[in-house]
Amino acid sequence: MLLPAALATRVRWGIMHGLPRRALPRRAERGDRMAQMLLGYGEPGSQYEVFDALRAEGPLVRSEVGATTADHAVCREILRDQRFGTVQTADFGFPGPLLRLLELLDPQLPNPVEPPSMLVSEPPAHTAYRHPIAKTFTPRSIEQLTDRARTVTASLLDAMAEAPAPDLVRDFAARLPVTMIGRLLGLPEKDDDYMLEWGEAAAPLLDPGLSWPVYRRSQVALTGLREYLTAHFARVRADPDADADHPFALLASSGELSDRELIANAALLIGAGFETTVNLIGNGIALLLAHPDQLAILRERPELWPNAVEEVLRFSSPIQRTARVAREDVEVAGVRIGRGTMVSLQLAGANRDPKVFDRPNEFDVTRPDAKKNVSFGYGIHACIGAALARMEGAVALSGLFERYPAVALSDGARHRGLSTLYGYAALPARLR
């Protein structure tokens, strides 16, 4: 590294976030649709009118920055089209000297939006990372994990009864997924609080144009996480029999992935993995309390809980958007997309496309086609932990409303303020 670590971090922020932070607002003011989308939507819930307006302009809208869509069919087409790839640093249009500087200053942190995270890797590397990890999330594995999720949920609900001021995010929605992911990784329960801190600090990295304090906090957290996981997997390799029942322990001992690949993708599961489920559960709680008629249906027909989770995913998507880059000249929905053009896919908008969903702005747990939502993506990059998240959502939501049928929100509910991951930072509640 050419510069001291602190200065190198500042330079990387300036290139990757400082420059977009200055440029995007100017372009948004000029009416650039993609720039407006990348900056977020103002008040939570206001984005849906923006998505409607975007669809009215066409299935795929060009802009100075790239192109964007809230069309369900176009999102699915691009996500499965191998002529589009995940976004790499080189795709942001930085001049060659800045790209070389970024490479020289790379701190080798387990950043979820930088390789070797499978989130931004392409075959054959993506296949090499995903295939061994996918063994953890087979239908049989999820079935075996369901009993554990129920046990953890019951324990968390019992513990909340003693809390003087329970917060349904802090004390429940966040606790279940972090416990499940932690045990899958073979991490000790005493470290769950640290994982929550790391996940919270890393989640903003999915947004563009971060402020310097937010970016600096994420880098400090990822440095700590790298050191922690390095030590953890070293212990696993030294005594593989001690953690033989943990899938990632087996993966660590197998040598299928390098240390950096293993740590980067374990960190992806800790951060992006459980953060999505936190938002799913929190959004579901808020929606059902705001729609008591729908909660009443679920109490009468508990077999609908899995479908209710799909409707939460559709109506209030925990992941609002993703992006792809054209690797060659292509035509989509009658629009020519040149090689190197970035396309921002508004997943939350696609989930309310009236061409696919009848009454798209109504929350309906009986909706027969709710599972057509694209909240977990599509194609080879579909979320590897989607089945686990869906199971945890159904277990958590049904468990909460069964254990505390009179639960109600108190004042102080607060959104996270992120534009990519969408959910609540706090849901203070009264349990009885």
Side-chain angles (χ1 to χ4, degrees):
M1 186 171 291
L2 300 176
L3 301 174
L7 181 56
T9 300
R10 185 85 187 206
V11 171
R12 281 179 63 84
W13 167 81
I15 297 172
M16 299 182 69
H17 291 277
L19 291 175
R21 190 175 175 84
R22 290 174 61 89
L24 285 175
R26 292 198 296 267
R27 288 174 172 170
E29 288 176 2
R30 295 201 298 265
D32 188 292
R33 275 298 193 188
M34 185 167 166
Q36 293 169 353
M37 296 292 177
L38 291 174
L39 287 172
Y41 321 106
E43 288 297 314
S46 65
Q47 67 267 40
Y48 301 110
E49 291 184 3
V50 178
F51 296 146
D52 289 342
L54 179 62
R55 277 193 299 271
E57 293 182 34
L60 184 63
V61 177
R62 293 296 306 267
S63 79
E64 182 181 346
V65 179
T68 187
T69 180
D71 185 277
H72 188 276
V74 172
C75 284
R76 281 174 55 108
E77 179 179 348
I78 290 175
L79 287 170
R80 70 187 176 198
D81 192 332
Q82 296 183 4
R83 295 174 297 176
F84 287 88
T86 54
V87 179
Q88 309 292 321
T89 302
D91 297 318
F92 288 99
F94 298 130
L98 289 186
L99 289 174
R100 288 190 289 275
L101 182 58
L102 284 172
E103 185 176 350
L104 287 171
L105 300 180
D106 184 358
Q108 305 282 296
L109 295 178
N111 190 326
V113 294
E114 293 182 14
S117 162
M118 74 175 82
L119 187 66
V120 290
S121 298
E122 293 296 329
H126 175 266
T127 307
Y129 305 151
R130 186 179 177 104
H131 179 70
I133 295 173
K135 299 173 186 177
T136 307
F137 301 104
T138 63
R140 182 179 178 184
S141 298
I142 299 303
E143 184 178 349
Q144 293 171 343
L145 289 169
T146 302
D147 285 342
R148 182 187 298 176
R150 290 180 179 135
T151 299
V152 173
T153 295
S155 176
L156 293 171
L157 293 172
D158 288 344
M160 279 202 302
E162 308 300 323
D167 182 323
L168 296 178
V169 173
R170 178 195 64 209
D171 300 322
F172 183 61
R175 288 285 168 185
L176 174 60
V178 78
T179 298
M180 297 295 289
I181 288 291
R183 303 304 80 79
L184 284 173
L185 292 170
L187 306 179
E189 186 176 348
K190 66 180 178 64
D191 292 340
D192 285 354
D193 284 342
Y194 294 127
M195 285 194 286
L196 286 170
E197 292 175 11
W198 290 323
E200 183 182 352
L205 289 168
L206 297 172
D207 284 0
L210 298 182
S211 69
W212 164 242
V214 170
Y215 181 79
R216 178 175 56 185
R217 181 183 176 225
S218 75
Q219 301 306 286
V220 170
L222 290 180
T223 300
L225 180 58
R226 179 183 61 189
E227 295 171 356
Y228 175 87
L229 290 176
T230 298
H232 169 68
F233 288 125
R235 288 192 298 270
V236 168
R237 290 192 181 100
D239 187 10
D241 293 335
D243 292 298
D245 62 332
H246 296 301
F248 266 79
L250 299 174
L251 186 58
S253 301
S254 71
E256 291 184 64
L257 302 182
S258 70
D259 282 356
R260 190 181 181 205
E261 291 166 342
L262 183 67
I263 290 168
N265 287 291
L268 175 64
L269 293 183
I270 291 174
F274 81 74
E275 286 290 334
T276 303
T277 312
V278 174
N279 291 344
L280 164 59
I281 297 171
N283 292 348
I285 292 170
L287 281 171
L288 288 167
L289 290 176
H291 297 83
D293 59 322
Q294 299 300 302
L295 184 54
I297 291 173
L298 291 168
R299 285 178 169 141
E300 292 179 4
R301 300 173 59 190
E303 73 277 7
L304 285 175
W305 275 110
N307 197 71
V309 168
E310 299 296 341
E311 180 67 349
V312 171
L313 288 167
R314 185 199 71 83
F315 191 85
S316 190
S317 179
I319 304 173
Q320 294 281 291
R321 64 171 180 242
T322 189
R324 293 292 185 266
V325 173
R327 297 303 179 200
E328 58 185 81
D329 293 344
V330 298
E331 184 174 304
V332 177
V335 178
R336 183 184 177 279
I337 301 295
R339 181 178 183 273
T341 300
M342 189 184 304
V343 183
S344 183
L345 308 173
Q346 309 305 321
L347 303 179
N351 285 341
R352 295 205 187 187
D353 188 338
K355 296 193 299 296
V356 177
F357 302 103
D358 185 38
R359 302 169 290 106
N361 296 320
E362 291 183 22
F363 180 65
D364 179 4
V365 298
T366 69
R367 185 181 297 275
D369 56 359
K371 202 167 185 177
K372 289 182 180 178
N373 73 80
V374 290
S375 292
F376 287 120
Y378 196 68
I380 66 169
H381 286 281
C383 176
I384 195 170
L388 178 63
R390 287 181 163 106
M391 179 271 286
E392 290 175 2
V395 168
L397 292 171
S398 62
L400 172 68
F401 289 107
E402 180 178 347
R403 177 74 167 78
Y404 297 111
V407 63
L409 295 183
S410 305
D411 293 337
R414 177 167 50 87
H415 265 267
R416 303 185 68 177
L418 303 176
S419 62
T420 301
L421 293 177
Y422 186 73
Y424 287 88
L427 284 172
R430 303 182 304 277
L431 300 181
R432 295 183 177 85

